[in-house]
Amino acid sequence: MTSKPTIGFAGLGAMGFGMATHLLSQNYPVTGFDVYQPTLDKFQSAGGVPATTLAASAKDKAYYIVMVATAQQAQSALFDTDAIVDNLPQNAVLILCSTVPSAYAKSVQKELSARGRDDIAFIDAPVSGGAIRAADGTLSIMAGASDSAMEKGKWLLEELSAPSKLFIVQGGVGAGSNMKMAHQVLAAIQILSTSEAYGFAARLGLNGQEVRDKVVGGKGWSWMFENRSLRTLTQDYFPGASAVGIIMKDTGIITSTSRLLSYPTPLVTAAEQVYFSAADRGYTPNDDAGLVRLWTETPVTDIQSTLSDQEKSDRLDLVVQLLTAIHLVSAAESIAFADHVGLPLQQLYELASEAAGGSAMFKEFGPRMIEVLEGRGEDVKIGSHLDGLKSAVEEAQKIKCPLFLGGAALNVLLAAGKGGEVGLKGLLGLYTVS
Amino acid sequence: MTSKPTIGFAGLGAMGFGMATHLLSQNYPVTGFDVYQPTLDKFQSAGGVPATTLAASAKDKAYYIVMVATAQQAQSALFDTDAIVDNLPQNAVLILCSTVPSAYAKSVQKELSARGRDDIAFIDAPVSGGAIRAADGTLSIMAGASDSAMEKGKWLLEELSAPSKLFIVQGGVGAGSNMKMAHQVLAAIQILSTSEAYGFAARLGLNGQEVRDKVVGGKGWSWMFENRSLRTLTQDYFPGASAVGIIMKDTGIITSTSRLLSYPTPLVTAAEQVYFSAADRGYTPNDDAGLVRLWTETPVTDIQSTLSDQEKSDRLDLVVQLLTAIHLVSAAESIAFADHVGLPLQQLYELASEAAGGSAMFKEFGPRMIEVLEGRGEDVKIGSHLDGLKSAVEEAQKIKCPLFLGGAALNVLLAAGKGGEVGLKGLLGLYTVS
């Protein structure tokens, strides 16, 4: 029927299923493995060949994609006896799309070498964009590999990504994962800022739909806000599309790297503690849009606003001010971290602007931040964002509404300002280490 | 029966009741007012004269003490029609012991003046030490006033405080409240660090009594830890002795002043969000020792440790490392804030070391911090505390245990270290504004 090569695939979760079925739609035979039988059945119905062992999924596959949830799962799937690596043919291309620590991606390359499988072309290629773009073949992909491995596997990455959204990151294996980590700094903060903003708004008496309409398209916009709003406004959390457990895992990669490098990540750290609190409430398998339940038991669309037009307008402004200030600091936290680990900043900017980490503030201030870090350009004053955040935090204090990120962002800006006017130089300087 | 002057008293809560009955025990007639009738009955049984109106409590009283909960209550009690000020005789001494913003204390002085009551000798005199010391007359008191007012009222402050624990703060009205605020930076952080430590320990499988025995007397000690342990270990939270609502109010004074001055208070801010979360769970009227319920539903003394001696010892060390690092940063946050508002640092040190804000770390590092801020002395390296905190946070991450203060303190230390060795100069420099 087709001369296209068969692809082996491990990990048919929300993202993996979308990627694998997209390849099917492009007439690639795909042999897929998952530990969960109903998923395998669904994959078979979609035209895939189910494999009940990793060995069967890998045998004779010249191309293999791993999209399991964690580095630990990847390690077992790759290197257990009679698992993937033991069964891949000579000169196979092996692509790891899971979000893992950069150090783990490098360790895979080393272990392949130690096992005498340097013939395998290994590509470290985490993705971003959500399940819908996975199924459309329009993901953002951040890939690092040797030139020879990239040459052999690039066409497959192109099948999975949108034109202009395949980012080959210089630096070899590990560079892709580092880029994903810098991107996830934005994601980890903006997933929570979405719920914090909806929660704050609910407690100000604002209806969720009105909040959504105010934020999307304005300065408070983030990709996460717009995307999660689909589920926040319909309470589609069980399981929804992106579990709290997933972002919690990514957050852990960021903060453990931060500790290792003695590098500060105050907002991601604040977010991580809230994710742990959510886990305590049993939210781990639920969609992260449901984190708003930490602030309000009433669905945000059920809130019937009794405010005057003026009051409503003022309070919506406070919500936007909360978001813009958090996203300004998240942009600095991500870009400065990327700089610290030696990533090309312009590439991060292009990638994240059009991926799940994007925000209006990132798009506006990212280029100026890069100029500051590269020693070019004037300082840019951001005092109005500090003032807006102060107003939001003051109002939240009156109604005893926790703003974990708002409070942390405020203190980053206050420390950056050193009592004077706050500029990007001061903000980035707070993150810059020797 | 006695020639001692009658004292008027408003606000017979946990602290006020102790103070008023102590004065009774010293043979002062005390006429007390409270809005809660059972409290008035109890006061009468203790030998006090109950007043059912503020007017009755103030009429003909040459000395009057206000110990209500908030500035708002004080404003109403003092200045409503036919309330305290309208009824105080000429040349009365009026002492405000409530914890209020410094700006509020100053506004009282102004309003007395505007009302033509400059004859009243007003003293801004917040206290610390808890209900037991209130009843013993051994409180710590931080008092600011004009020289003439202080001369007239000092003897009464001496009745309420321990020898050497009456601190006359230079700067007039408002200076006492500022000193209290700097002290409460320590209190606000260390009340929560107590529960965070017990909660972390519980989730590490450690029994609460063993945690208490390890911490008290060691480097992780704080006055709050030792004091709250009495109630943590007996689950004496309903209502206990010091409500979450009280420290939440004090935290609000700190963070609103912080916003006003554009001054960073990252740990107090992190603590405040947790206090708001606790309020969401209905904890506001409960003792703050019960905040440990944010981490564990099982009482900490019910945890039967199944760990080996070595495991137990290692994990207890992690708990101590968490506390020491938080208390090191809380000392910096308090002392630098005091410096910023122009308080005498040595006086804060003497006061807080022996009051509710005390900790082993404050006692050890406070003098070195003051030297650094005064431009004297060598830098002191504190890298071992950063390493200890990293270990604690890493372990907490593995078991998904939120460490709101631990995470915030870690990021303060990482930002202070700028990638190199962390010293007191860097730590205080993070707080120092122009």
Side-chain angles (χ1 to χ4, degrees):
Chain A
M1 299 250 311
T2 172
S3 61
K4 290 188 172 180
T6 301
I7 318 271
F9 205 106
L12 299 167
M15 294 292 288
F17 193 87
M19 293 162 71
T21 51
H22 169 70
L23 291 172
L24 290 172
S25 77
Q26 301 302 303
N27 299 315
Y28 292 92
V30 183
T31 302
F33 172 83
D34 198 90
V35 291
Y36 188 53
Q37 186 61 44
T39 293
L40 277 185
D41 296 343
K42 203 172 105 193
F43 183 62
Q44 187 167 21
S45 307
V49 177
T52 53
T53 64
L54 285 163
S57 75
K59 200 163 171 56
D60 302 326
K61 306 301 182 302
Y63 298 91
Y64 201 99
I65 297 172
V66 176
M67 192 52 192
V68 296
T70 66
Q72 201 175 8
Q73 289 176 14
Q75 180 65 15
S76 172
L78 288 169
F79 294 114
D80 278 358
T81 301
D82 203 27
I84 295 169
V85 169
D86 279 351
N87 285 282
L88 285 181
Q90 282 290 303
N91 302 313
V93 171
L94 173 64
I95 303 178
L96 177 60
C97 292
S98 308
T99 298
V100 298
S102 168
Y104 176 71
K106 287 182 186 169
S107 80
V108 170
Q109 180 90 68
K110 274 192 199 146
E111 188 156 351
L112 287 171
S113 204
R115 288 170 179 247
R117 293 302 308 265
D118 274 330
D119 62 288
I120 293 175
F122 176 61
I123 302 178
D124 161 39
V127 307
S128 176
I132 293 167
R133 281 173 54 191
D136 287 347
T138 59
L139 286 168
S140 299
I141 302 184
M142 297 135 263
S146 66
D147 291 346
S148 60
M150 193 61 79
E151 197 178 325
K152 290 175 71 177
K154 191 177 174 191
W155 68 269
L156 184 48
L157 300 174
E158 285 169 344
E159 286 286 6
L160 296 166
S161 59
S164 85
K165 291 195 177 173
L166 172 57
F167 294 86
I168 311 292
V169 189
Q170 294 306 307
V173 165
S177 287
N178 262 338
M179 186 64 91
K180 177 72 192 275
M181 181 176 66
H183 177 273
Q184 290 309 89
V185 167
L186 299 164
I189 296 167
Q190 288 158 200
I191 282 172
L192 185 60
S193 71
T194 298
S195 280
E196 186 163 302
Y198 271 116
F200 177 44
R203 291 164 71 154
L204 289 171
L206 296 165
N207 176 277
Q209 184 63 51
E210 291 177 337
V211 174
R212 193 265 175 206
D213 294 345
K214 172 77 182 181
V215 170
V216 172
K219 294 235 176 209
W221 176 85
S222 70
W223 187 97
M224 285 296 179
F225 187 93
E226 181 168 358
N227 178 272
R228 267 41 176 184
S229 289
L230 298 169
R231 302 193 284 280
T232 306
L233 298 181
T234 55
Q235 294 187 269
D236 176 17
Y237 311 143
F238 314 103
S242 193
V244 171
I246 298 293
I247 192 61
M248 196 190 307
K249 174 187 68 72
D250 291 3
T251 308
I253 292 172
I254 297 163
T255 58
S256 54
T257 304
S258 146
R259 287 196 300 276
L260 200 65
L261 302 179
S262 287
Y263 192 85
T265 51
L267 263 59
V268 175
T269 299
E272 186 172 36
Q273 313 316 312
V274 181
Y275 293 142
F276 291 157
S277 298
D280 285 348
R281 297 214 190 178
Y283 292 179
T284 306
N286 306 155
D287 195 277
D288 58 47
L291 289 164
V292 70
R293 292 172 292 161
L294 294 171
W295 281 268
T296 173
E297 288 176 20
T298 310
V300 297
T301 46
D302 285 1
I303 294 167
Q304 296 306 319
S305 177
T306 56
L307 304 168
S308 72
D309 286 353
Q310 185 61 50
E311 284 173 327
K312 193 184 288 184
S313 168
D314 290 348
R315 292 181 190 195
L316 284 169
D317 284 345
L318 290 176
V319 176
V320 171
Q321 286 160 359
L322 173 68
L323 284 167
T324 52
I326 293 172
H327 297 166
L328 179 64
V329 179
S330 75
E333 192 156 315
S334 165
I335 293 173
F337 200 6
D339 191 42
H340 187 62
V341 297
L343 290 169
L345 300 185
Q346 193 57 41
Q347 196 176 34
L348 168 67
Y349 180 72
E350 287 166 21
L351 186 170
S353 292
E354 302 299 324
S359 74
M361 297 302 279
F362 184 84
K363 288 185 186 189
E364 180 181 347
F365 285 98
R368 322 298 281 278
M369 291 181 181
I370 293 171
E371 284 178 9
V372 166
L373 286 170
E374 292 177 346
R376 300 178 287 121
E378 293 287 295
D379 196 10
V380 178
K381 296 301 175 192
I382 51 176
S384 64
H385 293 290
L386 172 59
D387 293 340
L389 180 58
K390 280 184 182 177
S391 301
V393 170
E394 184 174 342
E395 192 62 31
Q397 186 170 50
K398 283 183 196 155
I399 60 173
K400 298 188 177 30
C401 173
L403 296 181
F404 300 99
L405 288 173
L410 176 59
N411 278 279
V412 168
L413 291 173
L414 291 176
K418 295 245 156 238
E421 214 182 337
V422 194
L424 291 185
K425 281 188 184 174
L427 175 56
L428 292 161
L430 203 70
Y431 286 99
T432 306
V433 304
S434 50
Chain B
M1 298 245 312
T2 171
S3 61
K4 291 189 170 179
T6 301
I7 318 269
F9 206 105
L12 299 166
M15 294 292 289
F17 192 88
M19 293 161 71
T21 50
H22 169 71
L23 291 171
L24 290 173
S25 77
Q26 302 302 302
N27 299 315
Y28 292 94
V30 182
T31 302
F33 172 82
D34 197 274
V35 290
Y36 189 54
Q37 186 61 46
T39 293
L40 276 185
D41 296 342
K42 204 172 103 193
F43 183 62
Q44 187 166 23
S45 307
V49 177
T52 54
T53 65
L54 285 163
S57 74
K59 200 164 171 57
D60 302 326
K61 305 302 183 298
Y63 297 92
Y64 201 97
I65 297 172
V66 176
M67 190 54 190
V68 295
T70 67
Q72 202 176 7
Q73 289 177 15
Q75 180 64 13
S76 172
L78 288 169
F79 294 113
D80 279 357
T81 301
D82 203 28
I84 295 169
V85 169
D86 278 352
N87 285 283
L88 284 180
Q90 283 288 302
N91 303 314
V93 172
L94 173 63
I95 303 178
L96 178 59
C97 292
S98 308
T99 297
V100 298
S102 167
Y104 176 72
K106 288 181 184 168
S107 81
V108 170
Q109 180 90 64
K110 275 191 198 144
E111 188 156 351
L112 287 171
S113 203
R115 288 168 180 250
R117 292 303 308 266
D118 274 330
D119 63 287
I120 293 176
F122 175 61
I123 302 178
D124 162 38
V127 307
S128 176
I132 293 168
R133 282 172 54 191
D136 286 347
T138 59
L139 286 169
S140 299
I141 301 184
M142 296 136 265
S146 67
D147 291 348
S148 61
M150 193 60 78
E151 197 178 326
K152 289 177 71 177
K154 191 176 172 190
W155 68 268
L156 183 47
L157 300 174
E158 285 168 344
E159 285 287 6
L160 296 166
S161 58
S164 84
K165 291 195 176 173
L166 171 58
F167 295 87
I168 312 292
V169 189
Q170 293 308 306
V173 165
S177 287
N178 261 338
M179 186 63 93
K180 177 73 192 274
M181 181 175 67
H183 178 273
Q184 291 309 88
V185 168
L186 298 165
I189 297 168
Q190 287 157 204
I191 282 172
L192 185 59
S193 70
T194 298
S195 279
E196 186 163 303
Y198 270 116
F200 177 44
R203 290 165 70 154
L204 289 172
L206 295 165
N207 177 277
Q209 185 63 53
E210 291 177 338
V211 174
R212 193 265 176 206
D213 294 345
K214 172 76 183 182
V215 170
V216 172
K219 295 234 174 206
W221 175 85
S222 70
W223 188 95
M224 285 296 179
F225 187 93
E226 181 168 358
N227 179 271
R228 269 38 177 185
S229 289
L230 297 168
R231 302 193 284 280
T232 307
L233 298 181
T234 54
Q235 295 186 268
D236 176 16
Y237 311 143
F238 313 103
S242 191
V244 170
I246 298 293
I247 191 64
M248 198 190 309
K249 174 186 68 69
D250 291 3
T251 308
I253 292 171
I254 296 163
T255 58
S256 54
T257 304
S258 145
R259 286 195 301 275
L260 200 66
L261 302 179
S262 287
Y263 192 85
T265 49
L267 262 58
V268 175
T269 299
E272 187 173 35
Q273 313 316 312
V274 180
Y275 294 143
F276 292 157
S277 298
D280 285 347
R281 297 213 191 179
Y283 293 178
T284 306
N286 306 154
D287 195 278
D288 59 46
L291 290 165
V292 71
R293 292 172 293 160
L294 294 171
W295 281 267
T296 174
E297 289 177 19
T298 309
V300 297
T301 44
D302 285 2
I303 294 167
Q304 295 307 318
S305 177
T306 56
L307 304 168
S308 71
D309 285 355
Q310 185 62 51
E311 285 172 328
K312 193 183 288 184
S313 167
D314 290 347
R315 294 181 188 193
L316 284 168
D317 284 345
L318 289 176
V319 175
V320 171
Q321 285 160 0
L322 172 68
L323 284 168
T324 51
I326 292 171
H327 298 166
L328 179 64
V329 179
S330 75
E333 193 155 313
S334 167
I335 292 173
F337 200 6
D339 191 42
H340 187 62
V341 297
L343 290 169
L345 301 184
Q346 192 58 41
Q347 196 176 36
L348 168 65
Y349 180 73
E350 287 165 21
L351 186 169
S353 293
E354 303 299 324
S359 72
M361 296 302 280
F362 184 85
K363 290 187 186 188
E364 179 180 346
F365 285 97
R368 321 298 281 281
M369 291 181 180
I370 293 170
E371 284 179 9
V372 166
L373 286 171
E374 292 178 347
R376 301 178 287 120
E378 293 287 296
D379 197 10
V380 179
K381 295 301 173 191
I382 52 177
S384 65
H385 293 291
L386 172 58
D387 293 339
L389 180 57
K390 281 185 181 176
S391 300
V393 171
E394 183 174 343
E395 191 61 31
Q397 187 171 49
K398 284 184 197 157
I399 59 173
K400 298 187 176 29
C401 174
L403 296 181
F404 301 99
L405 289 173
L410 175 59
N411 277 280
V412 168
L413 291 173
L414 291 177
K418 294 247 158 236
E421 215 181 340
V422 194
L424 291 185
K425 281 189 183 173
L427 174 57
L428 292 161
L430 202 69
Y431 286 98
T432 306
V433 305
S434 51

